[in-house]
Amino acid sequence: MPIPRIVFFISLLLLILRLPRFESANHDYSDALSKCILFFEGQRSGFLPNDQRISWRANSGLSDGWQRSIDLTGGYYDAGDNIKFGFPMAFTTTMLAWSVIEFGDSMPAGELRNTMVAIRWATDYLRKTVSQPGRIFVQVGDPIIDHNCWERPEDMDTARTVYAVEAPNPASDVAGETAAAFAASSMAFRSSDPGYSETLLRNAISVFQYADNYRGAYSDNADIRDGVCPFYCDFDGYQDELLWGAAWLRRASQDDSYLNYIENNGKTLGAEDNINEFGWDNKHAGLNVLVSKEFLEGNMYSLQSYKASADSFMCTLIPESSSSHIEYTPGGLIYKPGGSNLQHATSIAFLLLSYANYLARSGQSVNCGNISIGPSSLRQQAKRQIDYILGDNPMGMSYMVGYSNYFPQRIHHRGSSLPSIKDHPEFIACKEGSTYFNSSNPNPNILVGAVVGGPSEDDSYVDDRDDFRKSEPTTYINAPLVGALAYFVANPNPS
């Protein structure tokens, strides 16, 4: 009958009009960059400075390290909890520094300064973790106890257990990544603070010696395993961090001994395994891109295998390539099973842009069998990932908190979801925070710049505080995004 059919189509039209629009927008990359960097101030631990911009945060973790008679204040909480995990913090630092090295020239001066401050907040803490010979402090806070509470960092009364690895016990992964963080940061600080840059390079050399001398995964140590696993276990082996640390030391120092290290140890440490991953636990794809720069721009033919592996990785990302095998959501987002999926999108976008720069400067492209891929294609692929995060997606949602008018309101983050200590100075005990955790209300404190774990493989997203795999922000999602956004500030329509 005609009338019900008309009603149906009118209802359908109204539904379509109400749906978020999924189309390419002219994003304000400068605004997104500013907010992406600001996020790190919300993750700070320790004594907050007078110029702290996220004002609902206050001092926290001021007694960290006292059990071991060492000052371990400072650093960052990795995500929505109150633990300081050294492994992802070091990776976050490396990526912030690489962002400055690769794309700092594209950053507005103020945001470059803010990024340098964010890096130093991490390196000052990481220097404390390696300040005692033959020992590296890898974590502060008992995660089991912490995760059983919903408590502001300013109220923490849970055990601030200090986890350390001592020689000859191995910690090649954490030590190797910490060496990379120091070496990359030494390059970032070279022009603005040469003295600090030299100090960081010395730290990098020293901690890398520990990583190489005592080979093995830190999470295999019985004394600390229950504290670091299953949260930041070394799931993928420690070998990549040795090559990663050596590669950054080579780039920072130009010392041929590190060049020899990555030449001579590549096979034995798995550099040719073509593992198409890059993140806090697996450095293979990033290592290959990083080392390829020297091959492409310095004609170091002994490093050709790293370039071949980088090319192979790039081909897996291009849907038109015969070797493509990265999964994408229907809306075009890189998707890997597990939590915090947007960490893959931001880190891979960073590698696409960095590799595109190296190829462009050397006048090369990537042969993907059936097609040839140039720098422009890689940049367009990166842009699709970044624009998706900022709102060009089937939900029409920005997955960066505070960017645009439609973003997650109930992120899995203690400080954001509990009343600020400035507004509610009374102590909120461990279990008293559950009322706020279980509330359907939006978080009272906006953690500007936080990028959440992201949508499901079908592009759907439910704004649910309890679903931490999708609603929890992390420092290592944001860190590579800093560099990618800096590129698009200067090149909003890359070619």
Side-chain angles (χ1 to χ4, degrees):
M1 290 175 54
I3 293 176
R5 189 174 296 170
I6 290 170
V7 171
F8 169 76
F9 282 116
I10 290 174
S11 300
L12 182 62
L13 179 61
L14 289 172
L15 177 63
I16 291 170
L17 290 173
R18 287 173 58 198
L19 286 173
R21 299 174 70 188
F22 177 29
E23 61 183 34
S24 183
N26 293 318
H27 287 293
D28 187 342
Y29 295 114
S30 293
D31 182 52
L33 174 63
S34 299
K35 288 170 175 168
C36 189
I37 297 165
L38 179 59
F39 161 73
F40 289 94
E41 295 191 21
Q43 298 301 110
R44 284 171 169 172
S45 181
F47 292 94
L48 302 189
N50 292 331
D51 60 357
Q52 168 80 11
R53 293 178 293 164
I54 293 192
S55 58
W56 49 265
R57 282 296 323 282
N59 299 338
S60 62
L62 301 186
S63 62
D64 284 356
W66 70 269
Q67 302 153 302
R68 302 293 289 265
S69 300
I70 183 173
D71 172 15
L72 291 176
T73 57
Y76 292 113
Y77 305 118
D78 76 298
D81 55 19
N82 299 322
I83 308 299
K84 295 191 298 201
F85 294 98
F87 196 14
M89 196 192 309
F91 175 71
T92 293
T93 311
T94 306
M95 293 310 298
L96 283 172
W98 197 1
S99 293
V100 168
I101 295 164
E102 202 65 54
F103 303 109
D105 289 347
S106 300
M107 293 182 186
E111 298 313 332
L112 178 58
R113 282 194 301 274
N114 289 331
T115 306
M116 299 302 291
V117 169
I119 295 169
R120 186 154 188 161
W121 193 270
T123 51
D124 282 351
Y125 171 79
L126 292 173
R127 289 187 62 220
K128 296 176 183 180
T129 69
V130 297
S131 60
Q132 297 181 356
R135 180 180 292 147
I136 178 168
F137 294 96
V138 298
Q139 184 173 313
V140 179
D142 184 316
I144 304 297
I145 297 173
D146 179 90
H147 289 174
N148 282 326
C149 290
W150 196 256
E151 198 168 35
R152 299 179 297 202
E154 294 85 1
D155 284 339
M156 271 190 295
D157 55 356
T158 52
R160 300 300 287 168
T161 309
V162 174
Y163 298 84
V165 178
E166 301 186 31
N169 293 304
S172 298
D173 31 32
V174 182
E177 184 61 70
T178 303
F182 286 144
S185 299
S186 76
M187 294 180 67
F189 279 103
R190 189 163 291 158
S191 60
S192 62
D193 193 338
Y196 190 62
S197 171
E198 284 299 315
T199 297
L200 292 174
L201 186 56
R202 286 195 301 272
N203 290 144
I205 292 167
S206 173
V207 73
F208 183 77
Q209 288 173 342
Y210 187 108
D212 196 36
N213 289 342
Y214 309 110
R215 293 190 179 188
Y218 87 124
S219 50
D220 287 344
N221 292 305
D223 291 344
I224 66 168
R225 184 174 178 80
D226 290 344
V228 302
C229 293
F231 313 101
Y232 292 102
C233 266
D234 187 329
F235 297 100
D236 291 325
Y238 63 87
Q239 294 88 343
D240 51 330
E241 277 83 25
L242 288 175
L243 291 168
W244 178 243
W248 273 111
L249 274 161
R250 163 63 182 173
R251 191 157 168 189
S253 69
Q254 291 299 300
D255 188 323
D256 284 345
S257 67
Y258 297 110
L259 174 62
N260 295 336
Y261 189 98
I262 56 179
E263 287 173 340
N264 299 333
N265 289 280
K267 256 191 201 335
T268 57
L269 294 177
E272 296 179 16
D273 290 351
N274 277 353
I275 299 171
N276 297 314
E277 290 278 352
F278 186 52
W280 62 264
D281 186 34
N282 196 317
K283 311 303 167 354
H284 279 90
L287 167 72
N288 292 326
V289 167
L290 178 69
V291 175
S292 293
K293 175 180 167 63
E294 192 153 7
F295 170 81
L296 286 164
E297 298 179 14
N299 296 316
M300 299 293 297
Y301 293 104
S302 60
L303 302 175
Q304 188 162 6
S305 64
Y306 290 91
K307 163 69 163 56
S309 294
D311 283 356
S312 174
F313 174 66
M314 295 298 154
C315 292
T316 69
L317 301 173
I318 306 300
E320 299 79 20
S321 166
S322 57
S323 55
S324 171
H325 65 250
I326 294 287
E327 184 180 345
Y328 289 86
T329 68
L333 177 69
I334 288 170
Y335 188 84
K336 290 178 178 288
S340 302
N341 178 63
L342 288 183
Q343 68 180 300
H344 305 298
T346 61
S347 62
I348 288 173
F350 182 95
L351 294 185
L352 284 163
L353 294 170
S354 298
Y355 204 57
N357 278 358
Y358 305 158
L359 291 172
R361 287 198 286 266
S362 56
Q364 296 203 31
S365 59
V366 178
N367 185 349
C368 294
N370 58 325
I371 55 172
S372 180
I373 302 297
S376 177
S377 294
L378 299 182
R379 288 166 177 153
Q380 292 295 337
Q381 191 74 351
K383 188 175 190 296
R384 282 191 283 272
Q385 298 306 302
I386 302 309
D387 287 352
Y388 184 108
I389 292 169
L390 296 180
D392 291 3
N393 57 63
M395 295 291 294
M397 172 180 278
S398 163
Y399 290 106
M400 175 185 285
V401 173
Y403 179 84
S404 88
N405 296 319
Y406 183 42
F407 53 83
Q409 303 286 326
R410 298 163 187 83
I411 67 173
H412 183 97
H413 189 278
R414 286 156 177 77
S416 172
S417 67
L418 290 158
S420 167
I421 196 166
K422 309 284 179 70
D423 300 325
H424 187 291
E426 295 80 17
F427 177 73
I428 300 175
C430 169
K431 294 301 183 184
E432 290 175 1
S434 300
T435 303
Y436 301 96
F437 175 78
N438 294 321
S439 168
S440 61
N441 293 332
N443 289 5
N445 307 307
I446 298 178
L447 183 56
V448 175
V451 179
V452 296
S456 299
E457 57 191 320
D458 63 356
D459 295 301
S460 65
Y461 183 84
V462 178
D463 193 2
D464 181 3
R465 194 177 295 118
D466 190 37
D467 190 356
F468 67 91
R469 289 180 176 82
K470 296 184 178 70
S471 63
E472 187 171 23
T474 72
T475 56
Y476 47 87
I477 293 175
N478 274 59
L481 184 57
V482 169
L485 287 170
Y487 174 82
F488 290 119
V489 167
N491 306 276
N493 297 295
S495 58

